[in-house]
């Protein structure tokens, strides 16, 4: 789970509304005291914001002063909920991401987490590919939708198509290329353009084995070229043209792109939302869609089968789909809401700067089940160093 975060300050009205979404009775408060805080696994930038340039990188580009830097989504959720319920949320960020939980499930070890936030279809397919091969090991529980007040608000086209119904969409993003138009004379318009001498040694990408945007870019190439030799040939030529593959998005974006190492990076079509809110130079934050498309990556929340706090876990997941939470997730995390328009109020900066491609490309769980692990293994054998 590796992604960017975008954060903004909020007013008291949203805080009060969200706090009301997690009201519990005295019996539940006693239960919480016995079991401790709700443990939520997510990616670092959501939990702390420390992996993202706009809220930590104040000495480069044109970002805000530290005193002006707003708080990340995770801090906002924690502070809002903890105003009402002390130590109710404890973020956890496993270094190896979903692999951490796959291996613990394989070893029949305790899963010391209640909810996962940021799960993608490719990660779910990877879970099932590994665990199903080692017997019927259940990592996430099938959702009891009648316990979720807001589940019917979700846009129908964001469904994970998981036959076990384990994941609830909470937001979606479109992968794109972000480039510096002061350096590049023109933007790439197709995948083949990236192989031209014009773009030699210009692109920063991420490792699909450990990075969600890296996985999304890899799957975008699978959608474009298929999973066989044409896709591998594209990657071989991309390597020959000098693509630099960093381990994670933050390595590529914050530590390299924002530092001016290269003029183009695999990132998100909402990048200008971040740039506008932090007064960055828009020349350095232009969006390029390849073939007028963008890979749509939907993030979801799932509840671990062995959670010690199922009631609170359901309340938290339902809270993520509430009107205030969806608005805050959109603006703070720079992602499009998962709910229908009538159930979310979006910040003006988001509406003015978030871009959607002319056509969304995505692979569903049904496309990925039983296939993604093999594709990734082939890429590792043929392309990875």
């Amino acid at each position: 789970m590796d992604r960017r975060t975008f954060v903004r300050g909020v007013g008291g009205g949203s805080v009060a509304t969200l706090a009301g979404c997690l009201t519990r009775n005295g019996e539940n408060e006693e239960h919480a005291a016995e079991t401790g805080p709700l443990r939520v696994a997510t990616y670092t930038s959501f939990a702390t914001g420390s992996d993202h340039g706009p809220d930590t990188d104040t000495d480069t580009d044109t970002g805000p002063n530290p005193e002006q830097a707003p708080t990340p989504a995770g801090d906002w959720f924690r502070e809002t909920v903890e105003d009402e319920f002390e130590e109710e949320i404890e973020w956890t960020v496993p270094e190896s991401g979903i692999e951490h939980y796959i291996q613990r499930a394989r070893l029949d070890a305790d899963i010391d987490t209640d909810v996962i936030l940021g799960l993608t279809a490719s990660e779910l397919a990877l879970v099932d590919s590994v665990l199903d091969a080692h017997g019927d090991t259940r990592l996430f529980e099938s959702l009891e939708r009648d316990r979720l007040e807001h589940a019917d608000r979700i846009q129908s086209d964001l469904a994970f198509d998981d036959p076990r119904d384990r994941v609830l969409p909470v937001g979606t993003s479109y992968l794109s290329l972000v480039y510096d138009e002061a350096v590049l004379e023109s933007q790439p318009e197709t995948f083949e353009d990236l192989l031209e001498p014009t773009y030699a040694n210009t692109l920063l990408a991420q490792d699909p084995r450990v990075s969600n945007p890296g996985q999304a870019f890899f799957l975008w190439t699978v959608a474009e070229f298929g999973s066989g030799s044409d896709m591998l040939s594209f990657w071989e030529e991309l390597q020959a043209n000098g693509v630099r593959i960093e381990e994670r998005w933050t390595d590529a974006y914050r530590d390299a792109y924002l530092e001016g190492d290269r003029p183009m990076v695999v990132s998100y079509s909402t990048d200008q939302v971040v740039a506008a809110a932090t007064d960055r130079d828009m020349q350095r934050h232009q969006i390029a869609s390849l073939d007028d498309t963008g890979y749509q990556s939907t993030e979801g929340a799932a509840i671990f089968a062995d959670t010690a706090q199922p009631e609170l876990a359901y309340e938290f997941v339902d809270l993520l789909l509430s009107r205030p939470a969806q608005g805050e997730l959109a603006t703070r995390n720079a992602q499009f809401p998962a709910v229908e328009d009538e159930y979310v109020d979006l910040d003006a900066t988001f509406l003015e700067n978030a871009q959607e491609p002319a056509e969304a490309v995505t692979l569903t769980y049904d496309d990925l089940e039983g296939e993604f692990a093999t594709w990734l293994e082939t890429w590792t054998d043929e392309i990875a160093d």
Side-chain angles (χ1 to χ4, degrees), residues 362-385:
T362 195
L363 296 176
T364 67
Y365 173 85
D366 189 51
D367 299 321
L368 296 161
E369 184 187 17
E371 302 288 348
F372 177 61
T374 301
W375 300 343
L376 201 57
E377 183 178 359
T378 300
W379 185 93
T380 300
D381 291 342
E382 300 294 332
I383 305 299
D385 294 332

Side-chain angles (χ1 to χ4, degrees), residues 18 21-22 38-41 77 81 89 91 114-118 140-141 143-145 147-151 153-154 165-171 299-304 307 309-323 325-326 329 338-339:
L18 181 57
C21 294
L22 199 60
L38 184 75
R39 300 156 301 177
V40 181
F77 269 89
V81 174
I89 294 180
W91 305 117
D114 301 296
V115 175
I116 188 168
L117 174 60
F140 305 117
E141 75 166 45
L143 294 170
E144 298 175 31
R145 293 210 168 221
R147 300 174 69 172
L148 298 166
E149 179 183 352
H150 302 127
R153 298 180 174 187
I154 297 172
D165 194 22
R166 293 163 291 177
V167 189
L168 207 66
V170 297
E299 291 187 356
I303 298 174
F304 284 96
T307 176
Q309 302 195 76
E311 182 175 349
L312 185 56
Y314 270 94
E315 287 179 326
F316 176 76
V317 169
D318 201 40
L319 175 149
L320 292 167
L321 296 173
S322 67
R323 180 180 295 274
Q326 280 289 292
L329 282 171
V339 297

Side-chain angles (χ1 to χ4, degrees), residues 15-16 19 76-88:
V15 172
W76 183 78
F77 269 89
R78 182 195 296 112
E79 291 167 6
T80 302
V81 174
E82 289 184 359
D83 278 345
E84 297 291 326
F85 316 106
E86 294 183 2
E87 300 181 353
E88 285 297 344

Side-chain angles (χ1 to χ4, degrees), residues 262-276:
R262 290 195 168 195
M264 187 161 56
V265 62
V266 173
S267 194
Y268 295 90
S269 69
T270 47
D271 187 78
Q272 289 190 355
V273 178
V274 179

Side-chain angles (χ1 to χ4, degrees), residues 3-11 14-15 45-46 52 55 70-77 79-80 273-274 324-335 347 350:
R3 223 188 74 143
R4 72 279 179 263
T5 185
F6 163 59
V7 294
R8 287 181 55 84
V10 296
S14 293
V15 172
S45 57
F46 183 96
H52 195 296
D55 50 57
T71 56
D75 280 359
W76 183 78
F77 269 89
E79 291 167 6
T80 302
V273 178
V274 179
Q326 280 289 292
E328 298 300 337
L329 282 171
T331 54
R332 293 170 180 275
N333 221 37
Q335 63 187 128
D347 182 273
F350 185 90

Side-chain angles (χ1 to χ4, degrees), residues 113-128:
T113 314
D114 301 296
V115 175
I116 188 168
L117 174 60
L119 191 69
T120 64
S122 56
E123 288 177 318
L124 185 63
L126 194 60
V127 166
D128 291 346

